[in-house]
Amino acid sequence: MLSQLTARPSDIPLKNLYNLLEPITKLGQSFVCTPSAIFEPENEFQCELVLELARREGKKLRVSGVGHSPSDLAMTNEFMLRTIKLNRVLEVNTEKRYVVAQGGITLNDLNAQLAKNNLAMITLGSISDQSLAGIVATATHGSGVSYGVISTNVMALSLLLADGSRVTCSRSEHSDLFMASICGLGATGIILSVQVEMEPAFRLKEMQQSLPFEDVVQNMDKLARSAEHARFWWFPSKDIIRCSYSNRTTEARNPAGSWLWNSFFGFHAIQFLLFIGRYFSFVNTWTGKFACWLASGDSIGVDDSYKIFNVDCRYPQHTTEWAIPFENTQACLREFRDFLRKEYQDPNGIRPHFPVEIRFSASDDIWLSPSYGQLTTWIGIVQYKPYGFNVPYRRLFEAFEDIVIRHRGRPHWAKAHPLGTDSLRKLYPHFDDFKRVIDKVDPDAIFCNEYVQRHIMGKPIDPRLFRAFKQHS
């Protein structure tokens, strides 16, 4: 068995390395990219072997989880290491309220394991499909003005560095490496395991209501702070914002919603209308109004925390999301509304999908976190791909990006964005510190794939290199 070998990877002849890795190698498979080899290691020693092979062959090695990021963050045309089989919970400490889990475990699986041990993540994003290492490496967030990005709950990391050594880092041990890695874009090393702070399992009581755009925007500061976890969904075609307020509760479970509205109309009917909208764009306006009407009634639901935090994202989609300083929220949203109003008045204008998602996160000190040093508002837009068919999105996204950039926007690292090294350096005071750590722990840039080379190293790599759809605007 590979896991029982005692030889150091550096001592194994190259031919033997290929033979040893054959059982976990998936040659010729393709995602959006076409790696020369894809490895799916089942233990940490196999990770060492893959790394040794990449070093010998002079290949980049990109680590990916489930490949959820809607960008080329996880892409490479060289070696890819998928962590989907490194998915175990290694330690559960209910007294000190933390768990240690392998980086490849998905949040869905982790949530299930936590529930069995009466623990829960302090905050979560809208979905739990991603790997734990993935959400850490990109500073993925939930919503709540008093709650940081999920990386702020990380206590320690176990990393496999480019030279084959293992290191445990935290705020008190190898602190620079730790601060670089808890939003490190996979560029500092392979995240083998993560120690994450938890809290006792809890339920959330969610209250939802729909309000006019201006009522919400005028009172944004008050509404965002009115609950532990507040988040909003804006339907531009109706100029209505769906407001969600969630707080911890001891009340019994009482989920909101019904199959007829949430599944039949809310999923199937909407998807069919979105498909029609591919050919007749004016239909998108009416689809947005219909979806807004479906969600218009006040509702109250009580459920386990992760079930309230997570929402059904419905369909495959193009998406972009940006973090702006909280104090710029009103001006940014109004400017975006003004842009959309002009488009609606133009017979050939953009007819966007819905909703615009608005969320919040507390200020933090993580070097590349979009919430570094500022209370943050996250604004995200989507263009759905009904039944998997592509739709135009580039003109809408470029206009939106121009607006949020004017309001000091920082991009979500897991989503495609146009910012280069010079722009990012101005946004992140520790940008050069991050580069310095990479240069130290990975001098040959083994873990620096095309995304990292383009956005961090400043190399002129086509941002559409790995796009599956290149023809739509």
Side-chain angles (χ1 to χ4, degrees):
M1 297 292 291
L2 281 174
S3 60
Q4 296 173 329
L5 292 176
T6 58
R8 292 179 302 174
S10 58
D11 295 332
I12 300 173
L14 181 60
K15 181 179 179 180
N16 290 3
L17 265 179
Y18 274 106
N19 292 336
L20 288 169
L21 289 170
E22 183 177 1
I24 61 167
T25 305
K26 312 292 182 182
L27 290 174
Q29 291 189 4
S30 175
F31 297 94
V32 181
C33 57
T34 53
S36 57
I38 301 173
F39 303 93
E40 295 180 356
E42 299 174 357
N43 54 58
E44 294 179 1
F45 182 69
Q46 291 176 343
C47 292
E48 294 181 45
L49 294 180
V50 174
L51 177 57
E52 179 65 24
L53 181 62
R55 239 190 345 255
R56 301 263 194 102
E57 295 284 36
K59 297 285 189 179
K60 302 294 183 187
L61 176 60
R62 192 54 177 167
V63 181
S64 70
V66 295
H68 184 272
S69 298
S71 71
D72 60 343
L73 176 63
M75 300 293 102
T76 185
N77 282 332
E78 299 189 33
F79 283 179
M80 177 180 286
L81 187 155
R82 300 187 68 207
T83 61
I84 57 175
K85 295 178 181 178
L86 301 171
N87 58 1
R88 295 184 296 119
V89 173
L90 304 175
E91 180 185 354
V92 177
N93 192 316
T94 56
E95 180 181 354
K96 295 184 178 180
R97 298 177 183 174
Y98 71 78
V99 300
V100 180
Q102 290 182 304
I105 192 170
T106 65
L107 296 191
N108 279 322
D109 290 342
L110 181 57
N111 289 335
Q113 292 296 316
L114 292 173
K116 293 178 182 178
N117 290 278
N118 197 36
L119 291 173
M121 296 191 70
I122 296 171
T123 185
L124 278 171
S126 294
I127 59 172
S128 289
D129 301 323
Q130 318 98 310
S131 70
L132 178 59
I135 61 121
V136 169
T138 56
T140 295
H141 63 97
S143 190
V145 294
S146 298
Y147 293 81
V149 298
I150 298 176
S151 292
T152 60
N153 301 319
V154 174
M155 302 169 69
L157 295 175
S158 174
L159 294 171
L160 179 62
L161 301 183
D163 64 2
S165 64
R166 300 189 194 197
V167 62
T168 297
C169 58
S170 66
R171 287 183 176 269
S172 60
E173 185 179 9
H174 303 291
S175 59
D176 279 4
L177 178 59
F178 181 73
M179 298 306 288
S181 299
I182 52 176
C183 184
L185 314 180
T188 60
I190 300 173
I191 298 178
L192 299 175
S193 66
V194 187
Q195 182 182 2
V196 191
E197 180 185 3
M198 299 292 166
E199 67 175 279
F202 61 96
R203 297 190 186 106
L204 287 171
K205 182 176 183 178
E206 181 184 37
M207 304 175 64
Q208 290 193 17
Q209 64 177 167
S210 296
L211 296 172
F213 174 92
E214 199 57 42
D215 288 359
V216 175
V217 173
Q218 281 184 356
N219 297 287
M220 182 61 73
D221 185 77
K222 177 182 177 181
L223 294 177
R225 300 177 190 276
S226 65
E228 293 174 337
H229 304 278
R231 53 187 173 180
F232 307 109
W233 297 279
W234 169 31
F235 293 81
S237 61
K238 193 71 174 173
D239 215 26
I240 293 292
I241 294 181
R242 185 68 172 170
C243 307
S244 166
Y245 315 100
S246 296
N247 292 289
R248 283 155 179 75
T249 184
T250 58
E251 295 181 26
R253 292 181 68 252
N254 184 25
S258 70
W259 176 88
L260 179 64
W261 295 109
N262 292 348
S263 182
F264 180 74
F265 288 115
F267 185 89
H268 297 292
I270 293 294
Q271 181 166 215
F272 178 73
L273 291 172
L274 290 169
F275 179 74
I276 299 299
R278 295 180 70 241
Y279 306 98
F280 306 98
S281 63
F282 68 88
V283 173
N284 289 331
T285 303
W286 293 103
T287 305
K289 292 180 178 180
F290 177 53
C292 183
W293 174 77
L294 284 176
S296 60
D298 292 354
S299 71
I300 299 177
V302 177
D303 214 332
D304 297 327
S305 59
Y306 61 93
K307 295 178 182 178
I308 296 290
F309 283 136
N310 288 171
V311 297
D312 188 348
C313 291
R314 303 294 183 181
Y315 323 109
Q317 57 191 245
H318 298 288
T319 180
T320 184
E321 185 177 29
W322 289 68
I324 63 171
F326 182 79
E327 62 268 21
N328 294 351
T329 305
Q330 292 178 328
C332 183
L333 289 174
R334 287 194 174 112
E335 184 175 349
F336 189 42
R337 183 177 65 163
D338 289 344
F339 164 77
L340 292 177
R341 280 180 167 176
K342 291 179 181 178
E343 293 299 314
Y344 283 130
Q345 293 169 0
D346 182 351
N348 298 313
I350 296 170
R351 299 296 184 267
H353 290 168
F354 52 87
V356 176
E357 188 172 36
I358 305 161
R359 293 181 286 172
F360 312 95
S361 60
S363 174
D364 63 55
D365 62 350
I366 301 169
W367 288 356
L368 287 192
S369 167
S371 288
Y372 178 87
Q374 64 184 29
L375 176 60
T376 297
T377 298
W378 298 82
I379 305 175
I381 62 174
V382 298
Q383 285 292 95
Y384 296 113
K385 294 183 279 187
Y387 308 113
F389 289 96
N390 198 30
V391 297
Y393 68 94
R394 290 183 63 188
R395 192 155 65 94
L396 172 65
F397 281 24
E398 288 171 358
F400 172 73
E401 288 164 351
D402 287 344
I403 291 170
V404 291
I405 288 171
R406 283 197 292 273
H407 292 276
R408 291 169 45 205
R410 296 167 173 168
H412 192 310
W413 288 110
K415 299 174 183 178
H417 65 87
L419 297 189
T421 304
D422 292 340
S423 297
L424 291 168
R425 180 178 283 109
K426 294 176 183 177
L427 293 171
Y428 292 99
H430 287 283
F431 186 84
D432 287 325
D433 292 325
F434 178 73
K435 290 186 65 176
R436 172 177 52 79
V437 169
I438 294 177
D439 290 341
K440 179 180 178 181
V441 299
D442 187 13
D444 296 322
I446 291 175
F447 295 120
C448 294
N449 72 333
E450 289 82 353
Y451 178 101
V452 175
Q453 291 177 55
R454 178 172 63 245
H455 294 296
I456 305 301
M457 304 303 174
K459 295 188 177 181
I461 295 176
D462 184 1
R464 299 184 62 77
L465 176 64
F466 297 114
R467 285 283 189 184
F469 302 102
K470 301 183 180 181
Q471 73 276 26
H472 286 266
S473 62

